[in-house]
């Protein structure tokens, strides 16, 4: 059951980039709309569950949400510069490395030699799969200076994004708090962070309201990810949640119309297969 819960974020989060891409708006509008939707989801969940709250929960939740907004805003910018089918796999690879190492080393989730061997094999498969889904065909055309500039901007955005996302998950794992209590103050931190990024930059219009739908998807994925991390650890729980890259990469190609050469499609297919195998290895570790 824990594995099934851990796979729900794969579907929910893997669909976010596609939903946001279809709904439109710039990176700031997408982030703001998404956080508004996540706040509504968290508010409804709080009134249904009514978990115990404390000042410590409020502080950790707020900080987690604020750093998430840094991660999400950077990821949206990265995808704007590099495209969903390139930017998201690179972002996923960075996050996998950071969270897996944190879970295994800092939180001692892997204690046996077998854990480290299988864990790093799975991580290598996931990162290699993410790399292949983003790989470009050098023979398909000559890159212009502008495209290289965009890639550089996107890469820098994803570095900041990874740091923000890393704190978002690591601080909650470190605190060991109830995920159902965390999500409301977390959503407030998200909303504050997104508002700062969007201040005088994002026009509050239909694109912001539309992107609340992606926030509901994120909320579902977030609560399932936090529950799975609590049960099976950060290294495995987070890694399984990132398998949604398969959905976002293929969706970016077939639904958003991002073009790939024949060779690049081979890379994408092989990359997706490696990600699936990596996920199976992680599932076997907790079977």
């Amino acid at each position: 059951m824990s594995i099934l819960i851990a796979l729900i974020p794969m579907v929910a989060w893997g669909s976010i980039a596609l939903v946001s891409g279809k709904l439109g708006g710039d990176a700031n509008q997408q982030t703001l709309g998404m956080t508004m939707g996540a706040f509504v989801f968290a508010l409804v969940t709080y009134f249904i569950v009514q978990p115990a709250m404390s000042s410590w929960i409020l502080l950790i939740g707020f900080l987690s949400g604020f750093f998430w907004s840094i991660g999400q805003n950077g990821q949206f910018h990265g995808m704007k510069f590099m495209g969903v089918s390139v930017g998201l796999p690179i972002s996923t690879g960075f996050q996998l490395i950071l969270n897996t190492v944190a879970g295994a080393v800092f939180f001692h989730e892997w204690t046996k030699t077998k854990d480290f061997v299988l864990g790093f094999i799975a991580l290598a498969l996931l990162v290699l799969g993410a790399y292949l889904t983003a790989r470009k065909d050098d023979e398909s055309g000559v890159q212009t200076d502008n495209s290289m500039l965009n890639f550089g901007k996107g890469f820098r955005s994803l570095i900041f994004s990874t740091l923000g996302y890393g704190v978002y998950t690591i601080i909650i794992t470190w605190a060991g708090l109830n995920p159902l209590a965390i999500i409301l103050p977390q959503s407030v931190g998200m909303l504050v962070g997104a508002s700062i990024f969007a201040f005088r930059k994002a026009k509050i219009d239909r694109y912001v309201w539309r992107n609340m739908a992606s926030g509901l998807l994120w909320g579902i994925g977030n609560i399932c990810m936090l529950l799975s991390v609590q049960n099976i650890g950060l290294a495995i729980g987070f890694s399984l949640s990132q398998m949604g890259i398969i959905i976002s990469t293929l969706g970016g190609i077939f639904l958003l119309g991002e073009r790939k050469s024949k060779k690049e499609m081979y890379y994408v297919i092989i990359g997706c297969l490696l990600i699936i195998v990596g996920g199976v290895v992680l599932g076997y570790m907790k079977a």
Side-chain angles (χ1 to χ4, degrees), residues 19-51:
V19 172
S20 295
K22 284 292 186 182
L23 295 175
D26 60 28
N28 292 312
Q29 289 174 315
Q30 289 174 330
T31 304
L32 183 58
M34 188 174 175
T35 54
M36 290 167 62
F39 174 74
V40 171
F41 177 86
L43 196 61
V44 172
T45 302
Y46 173 78
F47 282 115
I48 293 175
V49 180
Q50 296 185 355

Side-chain angles (χ1 to χ4, degrees), residues 10-280:
M10 175 189 77
V11 178
W13 287 354
S15 304
I16 286 176
L18 306 178
V19 172
S20 295
K22 284 292 186 182
L23 295 175
D26 60 28
N28 292 312
Q29 289 174 315
Q30 289 174 330
T31 304
L32 183 58
M34 188 174 175
T35 54
M36 290 167 62
F39 174 74
V40 171
F41 177 86
L43 196 61
V44 172
T45 302
Y46 173 78
F47 282 115
I48 293 175
V49 180
Q50 296 185 355
M53 301 293 284
S54 68
S55 57
W56 182 241
I57 290 175
L58 293 175
L59 175 62
I60 295 297
F62 180 87
L63 289 175
S64 170
F66 185 82
F67 277 98
W68 173 91
S69 69
I70 295 174
Q72 187 61 54
N73 188 265
Q75 189 182 77
F76 274 137
H77 276 94
M79 291 188 296
K80 287 293 184 184
F81 287 124
M82 306 164 77
V84 172
S85 61
V86 174
L88 199 58
I90 294 176
S91 175
T92 300
F94 286 164
Q95 292 177 63
L96 283 168
I97 293 172
L98 180 60
N99 282 278
T100 301
V101 170
V105 177
F106 298 132
F107 300 121
H108 308 292
E109 294 172 358
W110 297 348
T111 56
K112 301 177 182 178
T113 302
K114 176 185 173 183
D115 295 334
F116 281 93
V117 171
L118 290 177
F120 282 115
I121 287 174
L123 177 62
L125 290 170
L126 291 169
V127 173
L128 179 58
Y131 163 74
L132 288 175
T133 58
R135 183 172 176 179
K136 287 290 187 181
D137 180 5
D138 295 332
E139 299 175 359
S140 63
V142 179
Q143 287 184 312
T144 64
D145 291 338
N146 186 57
S147 65
M148 290 300 291
L149 177 64
N150 287 343
F151 186 89
K153 287 181 178 179
F155 191 84
R156 287 191 295 272
S157 295
L158 294 183
I159 292 294
F160 285 108
S161 171
T162 302
L163 295 175
Y165 276 142
V167 175
Y168 143 68
T169 51
I170 292 171
I171 193 174
I172 293 179
T173 306
W174 168 75
L177 300 174
N178 179 10
L180 293 174
I182 279 286
I183 60 172
L184 182 58
Q186 184 185 63
S187 68
V188 174
M190 291 166 58
L191 194 57
V192 170
S195 299
I196 292 173
F197 283 116
F199 184 66
R200 294 183 177 178
K201 295 179 182 178
K203 181 181 178 182
I204 308 298
D205 57 15
R206 66 182 185 279
Y207 294 115
V208 172
W209 302 115
R210 285 178 181 177
N211 275 282
M212 288 181 67
S214 62
L216 298 177
L217 276 175
W218 186 88
I220 294 170
N222 180 54
I223 196 170
C224 290
M225 192 275 290
L226 294 177
L227 288 170
S228 65
V229 165
Q230 189 178 58
N231 292 324
I232 62 179
L234 176 63
I236 294 179
F238 182 82
S239 296
L240 287 173
S241 74
Q242 296 305 295
M243 289 177 62
I245 186 178
I246 298 173
I247 297 173
S248 55
T249 300
L250 295 178
I253 296 168
F254 295 111
L255 297 180
L256 301 183
E258 296 179 0
R259 295 184 178 181
K260 294 282 186 181
S261 69
K262 188 175 181 180
K263 183 180 288 188
E264 287 169 346
M265 280 303 301
Y266 285 134
Y267 292 149
V268 167
I269 293 171
I270 295 172
C272 288
L273 290 174
L274 289 176
I275 291 169
I276 292 172
V277 174
V280 170

